[in-house]
Amino acid sequence: MSIWADVLTLGTEVAAHAPIIPADGVVPVLDHLRANGEASRAELAEATRLGRSVLMQRIETLLKSGLLAEDRVGVSTGGRAPRLLRFRADAGHLLVADLGATSTDVALADLSGGILAHHQEPSEIAAGPEAVLGRVEELFDECLAEVGAPPASVWAIGIGVPGPVEFASGRPVSPPIMPGWDGYAVRERFADRGVPVWVDNDVNVMALGELTAGSGRGVDDFVYVKIGTGIGAGIVVDGRIHRGAKGSAGDVGHIHVQAGREVTCRCGMSGCLEAFAGGAALARDAEAAAREGRSPILRALLDTKGFLTAEDVATASKHGDPVSVELITEAGRLIGQMLTGIVNFFNPSLIVIGGGVAGAGDLLLATVRQTIYRRSLPLATRDLTVLRSVLDDRAGVIGAATMAANELFAPAFLPRWLGAGTPAGHA
Ligand SMILES: [Zn+2]
């Protein structure tokens, strides 16, 4: 087992032979440049409020470590044009995976979350961790080969999984749709790569992706809602993911809604949003309508394929199938009902709707939006925007890369490896 797996599992101090570099000053400088791309020394002094000699020392440390470069000249504001410092996103690579209920996305990213190689394929999370993560390992190697990146250039691994995760240990906790994954040591599974591994719930990871590169850029308080097989939300407060006391914040699929009928959810309770409005619920109701002869289009699709999906319902609704229109409208109304509670409670300025079902058409989004505006308090919706994700299936991998980079450069972690050059060098 690598040093990093030990460290991350046991929380012990690491690599006694590496010099410990103080985080004070280093992290603010890095944070500013990671967020803004480049800046002059004067701009950094203003942004970080560090004293001149401390700032110069920290910049020197970061230049020596290879995390910063100084190869551009800015615009003069009077005297000599300033040299600009920039964050070197190409200093290392991140391997990331976004595991959904029925798909796997794997990518190689730079240290800013820029995607350099990306593979997506259908998969079954229920096949268990050995099968799924074994395939992720193969795809990791394919991504590295595609870009021609040596394994030693990898600095960290970020993984999103479709269930609750105890972030501190990286282990899934009683995930309802992930048989065999409860308590599984995902981090240790990648120990051979010798780099730190971070694992989080996939919806949190997608919300981070939206914050970094999607509709959430520059927005401090927003909610990302994924409508896939199930329904979940990632909550961004003050520009950071809010995980809650035990990491289950945003589990909105099991909020009780008024649907006018009783359906038992996979969690065992009755009346959960997901049991009416998730992708699996839409597919179930569509198949029932097809079998009962209520929709000729769905019947034809079912006869051809042998099963139906939420995407089929969206397609049929676009062709004017009344049953499909009704199913999607009802799903939108119930999702809107849940979000009304969130809006009144949390007062976000933005709600981003993503996931496979959300991408299927405008009707769902329009109904969600209409329900929220009709039912929320006027002050809560005054500046509220409801948008569909523009990142689609890249939100997860971009977010997983952002998560890994944020943790690598966090005050609690950076000092442990900065003196050694790279986090990978120790393995
Ligand atoms: Zn439930």
Side-chain angles (χ1 to χ4, degrees), residues 7-349:
V7 169
L8 293 166
T9 311
L10 306 172
T12 49
E13 200 48 60
V14 66
H17 56 281
I20 302 292
I21 291 179
D24 66 309
V26 171
V27 171
V29 169
L30 258 187
D31 280 353
H32 185 80
L33 291 171
R34 286 175 65 214
N36 297 282
E38 57 186 20
S40 66
R41 282 175 171 74
E43 286 163 346
L44 281 170
E46 196 180 319
T48 62
R49 305 199 164 275
L50 292 170
R52 187 185 154 75
S53 70
V54 173
L55 177 66
M56 294 311 153
Q57 266 174 22
R58 299 301 182 257
I59 288 173
E60 220 31 61
T61 301
L62 287 166
L63 281 168
K64 232 185 271 171
S65 75
L67 281 173
L68 299 189
E70 188 179 30
D71 48 14
R72 299 222 327 117
V73 176
V75 179
S76 166
T77 52
R80 198 153 52 97
R83 294 180 68 99
L84 296 181
L85 292 153
R86 68 175 172 87
F87 173 62
R88 280 194 55 215
D90 61 344
H93 291 124
L94 306 167
L95 283 170
V96 294
D98 171 27
L99 308 178
T102 58
S103 67
T104 292
D105 281 81
V106 166
L108 182 73
D110 66 23
L111 298 176
S112 293
I115 301 301
L116 307 171
H118 181 190
H119 287 272
Q120 183 184 62
E121 62 182 33
S123 63
E124 289 298 331
I125 198 76
E130 285 306 324
V132 172
L133 297 179
R135 181 60 186 148
V136 165
E137 285 275 27
E138 289 173 9
L139 291 170
F140 277 170
D141 290 333
E142 280 181 28
C143 285
L144 286 167
E146 193 179 317
V147 176
S153 71
V154 176
W155 282 20
I157 293 172
I159 313 266
V161 301
V165 173
E166 187 188 64
F167 189 69
S169 68
R171 293 171 188 245
V173 182
S174 311
I177 60 164
M178 300 170 65
W181 289 79
D182 186 17
Y184 184 83
V186 176
R187 199 168 259 168
E188 286 76 355
R189 177 69 175 73
F190 294 98
D192 285 350
R193 301 225 176 227
V195 295
V197 181
W198 285 281
V199 187
D200 200 357
N201 168 263
D202 64 339
V203 187
N204 283 349
V205 162
M206 286 174 184
L208 258 186
E210 293 291 338
L211 181 66
T212 310
S215 312
R217 262 188 104 143
V219 181
D220 281 343
D221 298 285
F222 74 92
V223 179
Y224 171 82
V225 185
K226 179 191 177 189
I227 309 168
T229 308
I231 296 176
I235 304 163
V236 175
V237 183
D238 288 338
R240 305 183 64 87
I241 295 292
H242 173 76
R243 296 194 174 86
K246 288 284 175 202
S248 77
D251 211 352
V252 298
H254 304 280
I255 287 179
H256 192 274
V257 289
Q258 302 293 334
R261 61 192 166 119
E262 288 296 315
V263 174
T264 302
C265 179
R266 65 184 183 195
C267 73
M269 311 260 256
S270 178
C272 295
L273 171 66
E274 192 173 291
F276 302 108
L282 283 172
R284 173 203 65 210
D285 290 350
E287 286 192 13
R291 292 217 171 79
E292 290 158 16
R294 287 188 277 127
S295 162
I297 297 184
L298 291 176
R299 177 82 219 196
L301 280 168
L302 181 61
D303 287 345
T304 313
K305 297 170 55 181
F307 64 93
L308 291 176
T309 64
E311 283 75 11
D312 295 325
V313 184
T315 307
S317 78
K318 284 179 200 161
H319 287 88
D321 173 49
V323 167
S324 299
V325 168
E326 173 55 28
L327 282 174
I328 288 186
T329 308
E330 174 70 355
R333 192 181 67 75
L334 294 171
I335 293 165
Q337 199 185 101
M338 175 277 290
L339 282 172
T340 299
I342 304 291
V343 164
N344 287 337
F345 176 75
F346 176 55
N347 188 205
S349 60

